[in-house]
Structures are given as structure tokens and as C-alpha cells.
Amino acid sequence: MRDAKRFAAWFALLVIVVIAGDRIGAFVCSRVLLASQFRFSRVYRGGANADVLVIGDSRGVHSFYAPSIEKLTGRPALNLSFNSMSMPIAEALLTDYLERNNAPRLVLIEVTCVVVDRGLVSELRTYAGLSKRLEALYAHEHPQAAAAGRLFHLLPYDSEFFSRALMYLRRSDQDWIMRNTIPPQLADSLARGPWRLHPLQENLDALGRLAAMLRARGIEVKLLIAPYHPAAMADTDAITRGVHHIAPGVPIADYANAIEPSQYFADRVHMNLDGSELLLGMLCRDGVLGGCVAR
């Protein structure tokens, strides 16, 4: 009997230590998360004052270099794009941004992310405690993991997002862009016929809601297709038709085939820094970025 009581006491102490450690550790991680300069953290910390916002998947990351946008326009810019970001995530993120930060004047949306599936949803657990919208997206796809995260508060921080938050704790992530150039032999081996890109309906629906919401708030919205390497032979017609149907009256600035030399690409779907700066110069020339103070 005495041994049973001793075991029960030690077990109860262990449970208390585990729960206390979990809660204390999660609190520390949450403070670190909000202190970071990682783009998602800047959304939920609040106080951002960007005039130009960019959203999209990895093509949005590497096509629109925020420091160059600031130099060209003379206005603060923030690129919120992330690898494999689908439009429902972009919709949730931008809606949260507007609730916590000053409204931008212009939002640039790289619309080829309408072909992206839900691959990034699993990473949303890190910010689920800060956003009911992200929490709902995550819980819908991962109900058991979401329940476990509500029980053990440290679990959501076992993620790429938290690793990036640590990486960018003391510096901005807005210089994140590819700087390499696609090797000529690789570029020459890529052409295998047209690559037809097909949008997902849930992405188109989210884009339609997002564009309507931004315009209703008086925010200018520009939809863009960034360049592909010519060897990719990307066929964006289905994307263009789908976007025109879901967001009538919002023009698409289609630069899919605007740049040909391989020196401006890191691979067949992503530009490098030189390519981004060339594209941004075109956007200034065409009035997509509004008034540019530097050329």
C-alpha cells in the first residue's frame, strides 16, 4: 500500500512537472515567435506599415524582391509570400493582416498559386493560437494533431515556421530570394512539351473573395503572373480563364513569357534576384507598381 501511494505521489508530481514545463516552454516560444522578423510573425505582432503587400507561393517569393520594390516606389513594402501557399491560406493571412496592421495602398497577388494544393497547411499549427482563421484551416485538415496541440502546447512549435522564426529573430527575412542561375545544360534539357497549369476551384473561390474584400476596403489589387523560364513551356490559359471568371473586372498583368534569357532564372519556375529586378522595372514601366521614383 505504501509503495502504491509513493508511486501515485511521484506520478502526480511528474504530471505536474510535464504540464508546467509544457506551458512555460510554450509561453517562451510564443514570445520568441512574436519577436521574430519572420513575415508571418510580423503579421501577428501588428504595427506593420507597408504600403505595398505581395502575396503568393514560392514564385511570389522569388519574383518580387521587397527591398527593390521599396527602392523603386519610395514606399515600404512587405512580401508575405511563402512556398506552397494556397489561396485559402493567403486569404486568411491577408484578412488577419488587415485586422492587426495599417491597410496597404496596393496588394500584388501572384495568381499562379491557384494551382497549389494544401501542402503548407500542416505548418499553420505554429500560428494557429494567434489566428482563428489559420486554426480552422489546420484543424480541418489535421483534426487529431490540432487536438493534441491544444493539450500539449509545445507541439505547434515543432515546425519549419518556428525554425524560420528563430533564424530571423534578429534580422529581416525580406532579403530571401534565389541568387543562383539555372545551368545552361539543365535549361536545355527541360523542354518536354506544353506544361498546362490547372487551377483548383477552392483556390479560385478564395481569390475571388479576397479580391472583392480588398477592393471593398478601397485597397488597389493587382493580379500578376510572373515569368516562367521559356523551357518550362508553361501554359497559363486555364489560370487566366479561371481568374477572369471568378474576379471579373480585375485585370491580370501576364508576364509569363516576358523574359527569355536564362541568366534571370534560378530554375524553370523561379526567377533569381537579377530576374526579379528586371521584372520590377517592367512593372514600373507598365504602371503596375504605380508611381516609381527610381528606374
Side-chain angles (χ1 to χ4, degrees):
M1 179 66 70
R2 181 176 299 176
D3 289 343
K5 289 182 178 180
R6 184 180 296 123
F7 173 80
W10 278 109
F11 183 78
L13 179 61
L14 176 62
V15 170
I16 292 171
V17 169
V18 169
I19 292 176
D22 176 71
R23 299 305 189 264
I24 294 171
F27 175 79
V28 172
C29 287
S30 70
R31 297 303 95 190
V32 170
L33 189 69
L34 284 177
S36 175
Q37 296 304 306
F38 177 49
R39 57 197 63 194
F40 275 51
S41 293
R42 292 177 65 176
V43 171
Y44 294 104
R45 184 168 61 248
N49 192 33
D51 278 352
V52 182
L53 285 182
V54 182
I55 197 87
D57 63 3
S58 59
R59 284 171 40 77
V61 173
H62 300 293
S63 298
F64 304 98
Y65 189 52
S68 293
I69 294 176
E70 293 182 340
K71 182 178 178 180
L72 288 166
T73 64
R75 295 183 288 172
L78 179 60
N79 193 329
L80 296 177
S81 306
F82 200 84
N83 299 347
S84 299
M85 181 182 288
S86 63
M87 279 309 310
I89 297 175
E91 179 188 19
L93 191 66
L94 277 181
T95 305
D96 286 346
Y97 181 94
L98 294 177
E99 290 181 353
R100 294 164 171 81
N101 304 275
N102 293 332
R105 298 181 183 178
L106 172 65
V107 173
L108 305 176
I109 304 176
E110 209 292 322
V111 297
T112 59
C113 64
V114 296
V115 306
V116 175
D117 61 15
R118 303 172 182 178
L120 188 62
V121 170
S122 62
E123 290 296 318
L124 301 183
R125 62 187 181 274
T126 304
Y127 290 91
L130 300 171
S131 166
K132 293 296 185 183
R133 295 180 179 92
L134 296 187
E135 180 183 28
L137 288 172
Y138 178 65
H140 182 264
E141 291 295 312
H142 305 280
Q144 293 181 338
R150 289 190 289 269
L151 181 62
F152 298 103
H153 293 190
L154 274 173
L155 282 179
Y157 299 103
D158 180 19
S159 69
E160 178 189 353
F161 273 2
F162 189 66
S163 296
R164 286 188 177 271
L166 292 174
M167 182 187 305
Y168 294 107
L169 187 59
R170 297 298 179 217
R171 64 185 181 91
S172 172
D173 73 344
Q174 294 297 291
D175 63 350
W176 175 29
I177 194 168
M178 292 183 180
R179 300 171 189 269
N180 61 296
T181 301
I182 185 171
Q185 63 273 21
L186 179 58
D188 293 340
S189 69
L190 288 176
R192 297 188 179 90
W195 177 29
R196 294 183 174 86
L197 299 165
H198 298 287
L200 302 177
Q201 190 58 49
E202 68 173 356
N203 283 333
L204 291 173
D205 292 342
L207 175 60
R209 293 190 301 268
L210 178 58
M213 182 270 289
L214 293 171
R215 298 178 80 186
R217 295 179 180 226
I219 299 170
E220 187 176 11
V221 182
K222 297 288 181 70
L223 308 181
L224 301 99
I225 298 179
Y228 286 89
H229 190 283
M233 300 184 70
D235 182 349
T236 60
D237 288 348
I239 292 177
T240 302
R241 290 194 302 271
V243 172
H244 278 315
H245 177 73
I246 207 71
V250 184
I252 301 176
D254 188 350
Y255 291 86
N257 301 304
I259 296 176
E260 294 187 1
S262 289
Q263 70 190 72
Y264 297 113
F265 292 88
D267 55 41
R268 69 173 187 163
V269 299
H270 299 111
M271 310 193 79
N272 56 27
L273 177 58
D274 291 340
S276 174
E277 292 185 337
L278 179 60
L279 173 62
L280 293 174
M282 293 178 175
L283 299 186
C284 280
R285 176 198 67 194
D286 299 339
V288 177
L289 281 179
C292 290
V293 298
R295 296 295 292 275

